[in-house]
Amino acid sequence: PFTFARQTFHWTADRQALAALNLPSGVWTLRKWWKQMRKLNRKNRLTHGIWVKGQDKPVGLHMTLVMFPAADAVTGILIGDMAWRGKGIAVEAKRAAISDLFDRLGVHRVTSWVNARNFASLHMTMRIGFKQEAQMREQAVLMDGTRADFLGFGILRSEWDGGKTSQPKTIA
């Protein structure tokens, strides 16, 4: 855990990266960041680092909160390394994580909340088969003080095709 915190500490200066975790940027010490990373892994919280094959430093992380006994999960993804944003790594990581939730953990439903202004995340979420189910108007206060809507997406195990869906599935 400390090695991961040390390898990702530079993310703490990136407002855009930390906005995905609803955390402020520029206020972290390595020790505080390490404690925050430890909080992301608990009994029902799973956080996995994302590495690119052949590289020794993580480029992002995928977080999951599993709610038993309902067998529901809420997921989120952060690509902390700016050089890898927009290159499809989030799609691959999200597909792998969701397959693991359905296949290994037996989760029934996965939910993902996406900032309505984050068009790349919206596209990725719909591209892998999630359906828009909710809109929380002005649900979050962003780092610049403005408010943003969050859109709720869900997918059931019976709908999962391994994330190979190519057409966005939304509810009008």
Side-chain angles (χ1 to χ4, degrees):
F2 187 76
T3 300
F4 186 81
R6 189 173 58 245
Q7 291 175 330
T8 60
F9 183 67
H10 64 282
W11 298 352
T12 64
D14 184 345
R15 281 180 74 176
Q16 185 178 3
L18 291 191
L21 299 174
N22 200 26
L23 296 173
S25 62
V27 298
W28 298 92
T29 64
L30 180 56
R31 182 173 171 73
K32 285 181 183 178
W33 182 244
W34 173 64
K35 285 183 173 185
Q36 181 66 36
M37 291 294 100
R38 286 179 42 208
K39 286 181 186 177
L40 296 176
N41 272 318
R42 301 270 171 118
K43 186 185 291 188
N44 63 335
R45 291 183 187 172
L46 309 168
T47 302
H48 298 96
I50 301 169
W51 278 262
V52 175
K53 290 179 184 175
Q55 293 201 0
D56 60 345
K57 292 189 178 177
V59 298
L61 53 90
H62 186 274
M63 302 149 292
T64 304
L65 171 64
V66 181
M67 295 165 285
F68 294 106
D72 291 346
V74 179
T75 68
I77 195 163
L78 160 69
I79 302 301
D81 187 331
M82 287 174 36
W84 285 97
R85 291 182 190 155
K87 302 216 170 158
I89 195 158
V91 174
E92 187 177 337
K94 189 93 168 174
R95 282 179 179 149
I98 292 169
S99 286
D100 186 54
L101 288 169
F102 286 137
D103 299 341
R104 187 175 62 86
L105 294 181
V107 167
H108 173 72
R109 168 190 175 74
V110 177
T111 302
S112 189
W113 288 93
V114 180
N115 180 332
R117 297 181 190 175
N118 187 338
F119 299 114
S121 289
L122 289 170
H123 178 73
M124 183 257 312
T125 303
M126 292 185 291
R127 180 177 163 195
I128 62 174
F130 280 77
K131 296 178 184 176
Q132 183 180 337
E133 299 177 334
Q135 178 179 358
M136 300 293 288
R137 297 177 304 131
E138 297 185 2
Q139 192 268 338
V141 178
L142 303 180
M143 296 298 151
D144 64 3
T146 62
R147 292 198 166 265
D149 294 355
F150 268 69
L151 303 177
F153 292 86
I155 191 164
L156 303 175
R157 183 180 355 186
S158 61
E159 299 169 331
W160 182 244
D161 64 359
K164 296 176 184 129
T165 304
S166 60
Q167 296 298 318
K169 295 179 181 178
T170 59
I171 296 173

